[in-house]
């Protein structure tokens, strides 16, 4: 059933009791052309574009928990493309462009809200770096502007630009096409659209081993039995190195907890996204009225999906300094995810040393914004057994050649 005003009205007549399930829950087949490990946004988008762009529909997405239960359902949903280097900005800009048409493409409202993202500068060095990035973005055709402190205040009236702050606001970059999207809707929209094209989505199915014959992948062992596959694609966010280990190769990835929290709902006060690398906080207001807040990563390594209290304390301190208006707000809940970080703060979308095995990971704190672009380029890489020009620079081999793409500036705070 297509979602439309007509189907909404029709279903209202039966008190919304007869909506069909959004995707099937099939048992796994004995074999597939492609098995994708991980039912987060990246895995589901990859399945969708494999079917849509390359006509490969004999595909299974294997998810050990539930769809979007990993980082896709835990992130703060910021979408932007204002990265410094050409390679990264082209990839993230492709993603933003796909996001702009995604609700229509998937026939699923992903609630994209292009409310703008401001990255604050708090020191002279910050000002120089941020202006440089604004100029680099413009050269790449990406919308970006530099705002002085008064322009920051005009754009976001509740921000504190007083000069006696510990970290005064000395300006900001603004990408107006950036903003937020609804994380669950992105996962569910891709799942529904992939299912409609014949992809099997199998939840509660953990991959426990990657089977190989010589140097070639032959399938996977799972908690639901052996599944054969001509090609296997890893897409597991916080567990990339665990899966790589199963296949016998190493990645330079470190896994850290990353936390976020939301406040009680309040009336609309903030209609943009504000991020600060220096004080380590970023904030937006959800459609329900809650403030959605994120911090930097916890310093230690962990797979626990929870972080330390002092990180949240630091983040709230920074928030109160920038927005004194929030000082009496109650926080409702906090949570954590596991983010895989690469030494250059850029992802991996790549072939691996095992023939027929591919890896997509290392998105660190910023892979939600990349879901469409990542799925699109990863599907190309899997279908053609060679990277698209957009993801070629994000090959595993760059850690051997040293051709790193240092995006620590643009990816500096969790986002
Ligand atoms: C607190 C927080 C805030 C963030 N904020 C932002 C933000 O504002 N903007 C942004 O762009 N990014 C943000 N991110 C990063 C973003 O969430 C991730 O980069 C992105 O969601 C990764 O998507 P994914 O599909 O790769 O991973 P996931 O959604 O984690 O999906 C991977 C799936 O693989 C499954 N899996 C793992 N091992 C196995 C196995 N052996 N067998 C089967 N399945 C397995 C997991 O259960 C999981 O569901 C944030 C992350 C966190 C944690």
């Amino acid at each position: 059933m297509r979602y439309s005003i007509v189907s909404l009205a029709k279903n209202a007549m039966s008190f919304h009791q007869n909506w069909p399930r959004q995707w099937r829950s099939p048992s796994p087949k004995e074999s597939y052309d492609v098995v994708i490990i991980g039912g987060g946004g990246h895995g589901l988008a990859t399945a969708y574009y494999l079917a849509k762009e390359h006509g490969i529909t004999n595909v299974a997405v294997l998810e050990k928990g539930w769809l979007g239960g990993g980082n896709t359902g835990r992130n703060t949903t910021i979408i932007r493309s204002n990265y410094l280097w050409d390679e990264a900005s082209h990839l993230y800009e492709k993603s933003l462009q796909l996001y702009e048409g995604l609700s229509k493409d998937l026939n699923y409202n992903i609630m994209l809200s292009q409310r703008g993202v401001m990255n604050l500068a708090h020191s002279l060095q910050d000002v120089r770096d941020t202006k440089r990035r604004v100029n680099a973005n413009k050269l790449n055709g990406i919308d970006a502007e530099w705002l002085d402190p008064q322009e920051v205040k005009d754009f976001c009236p509740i921000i504190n630009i007083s000069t006696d702050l510990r970290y005064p606001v000395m300006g900001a970059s603004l990408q107006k096409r950036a903003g937020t999207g609804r994380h669950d809707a992105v996962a569910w929209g891709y799942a529904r659209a992939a299912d409609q094209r014949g992809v099997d989505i199998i939840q509660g199915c953990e991959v426990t081993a990657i089977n190989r014959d010589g140097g070639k992948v032959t399938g996977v062992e799972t908690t639901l039995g052996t599944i054969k596959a001509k090609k296997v694609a890893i897409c597991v966010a916080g567990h990339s190195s665990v899966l790589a280990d199963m296949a016998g190769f190493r990645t330079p990835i470190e896994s850290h907890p990353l936390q976020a929290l939301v406040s009680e709902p309040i009336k609309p006060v903030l209609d943009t996204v504000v991020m600060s690398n220096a004080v380590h906080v970023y904030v937006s207001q959800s459609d329900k009225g809650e403030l959605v807040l994120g911090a930097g990563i916890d310093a230690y390594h962990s797979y626990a999906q929870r972080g330390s209290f002092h990180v949240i304390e630091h983040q709230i301190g920074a928030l109160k300094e920038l927005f004194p208006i929030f000082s009496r707000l109650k926080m409702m809940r906090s949570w954590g995810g596991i983010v895989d970080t690469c030494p250059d703060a850029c992802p991996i979308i790549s072939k691996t040393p095992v023939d027929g095995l591919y890896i997509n990971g290392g998105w660190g704190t910023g892979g939600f914004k990349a879901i469409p672009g990542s799925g699109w380029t990863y599907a190309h890489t899997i279908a053609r057994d060679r990277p698209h020009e957009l993801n070629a620079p994000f090959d595993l081999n760059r850690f051997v050649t040293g051709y790193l793409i240092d995006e620590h500036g643009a990816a500096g705070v969790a986002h």
Side-chain angles (χ1 to χ4, degrees), residues 170-227:
M170 297 176 73
S173 68
L174 171 65
Q175 184 179 19
K176 281 194 175 148
R177 284 167 60 241
T180 58
R182 173 77 200 173
H183 46 12
D184 297 326
V186 172
W188 298 339
Y190 273 121
R192 175 170 165 270
D195 174 85
Q196 282 172 350
R197 288 174 186 264
V199 171
D200 283 357
I201 294 167
I202 301 159
Q203 300 181 71
C205 179
E206 179 170 359
V207 170
T208 52
I210 294 178
N211 295 335
R212 286 159 290 156
D213 185 5
K216 181 157 178 35
V217 79
T218 56
V220 290
E221 294 298 327
T222 78
T223 45
L224 298 182
T226 306
I227 302 175

Side-chain angles (χ1 to χ4, degrees), residues 259-263 291-294 312 315-316 331 333-335:
Q259 305 181 75
L261 65 158
V262 291
S263 73
L291 292 185
V292 182
L293 299 159
I312 298 182
Q315 165 192 9
I316 296 296
M331 294 299 143
R333 34 173 216 284
S334 69
W335 63 88

Side-chain angles (χ1 to χ4, degrees), residues 350 395-403:
S350 177
D395 195 274
L396 253 184
N397 216 27
R398 77 179 187 273
F399 303 108
V400 179
T401 60
Y403 195 93

Side-chain angles (χ1 to χ4, degrees), residues 285-346:
Q285 188 169 19
S286 77
D287 295 325
K288 282 189 284 183
E290 301 158 351
L291 292 185
V292 182
L293 299 159
I297 55 175
D298 281 57
Y300 59 88
H301 300 152
S302 165
Y303 290 113
Q305 288 189 317
R306 58 185 297 182
S308 314
F309 186 69
H310 75 270
V311 175
I312 298 182
E313 201 178 6
H314 182 79
Q315 165 192 9
I316 296 296
L319 176 80
K320 280 175 58 180
E321 195 165 81
L322 280 177
F323 298 96
I325 187 178
F326 296 146
S327 62
R328 294 173 65 190
L329 208 56
K330 293 188 185 68
M331 294 299 143
M332 277 209 311
R333 34 173 216 284
S334 69
W335 63 88
I338 304 302
V339 295
D340 278 354
T341 57
C342 286
D344 57 355
C346 271

Side-chain angles (χ1 to χ4, degrees), residues 36-50 59 61-63 67-73 75 91-92 95 99 183 186-188 190-191 194 233-238 240 347-349 359-379 382:
I36 296 170
I37 310 172
H42 288 254
L44 294 164
T46 305
Y48 172 67
Y49 292 117
L50 270 175
V59 176
V61 177
L62 309 182
E63 166 53 49
L67 293 193
N71 288 349
T72 299
N75 74 87
L91 180 66
Y92 288 102
S95 201
Y99 259 128
H183 46 12
V186 172
W188 298 339
Y190 273 121
I234 299 171
C235 223
V236 293
S240 309
I348 302 166
I349 313 176
I359 186 163
N360 176 326
W363 291 96
T365 58
F368 177 70
K369 67 178 68 62
I371 285 174
S374 154
W376 194 86
T377 52
Y378 198 32
I382 298 162

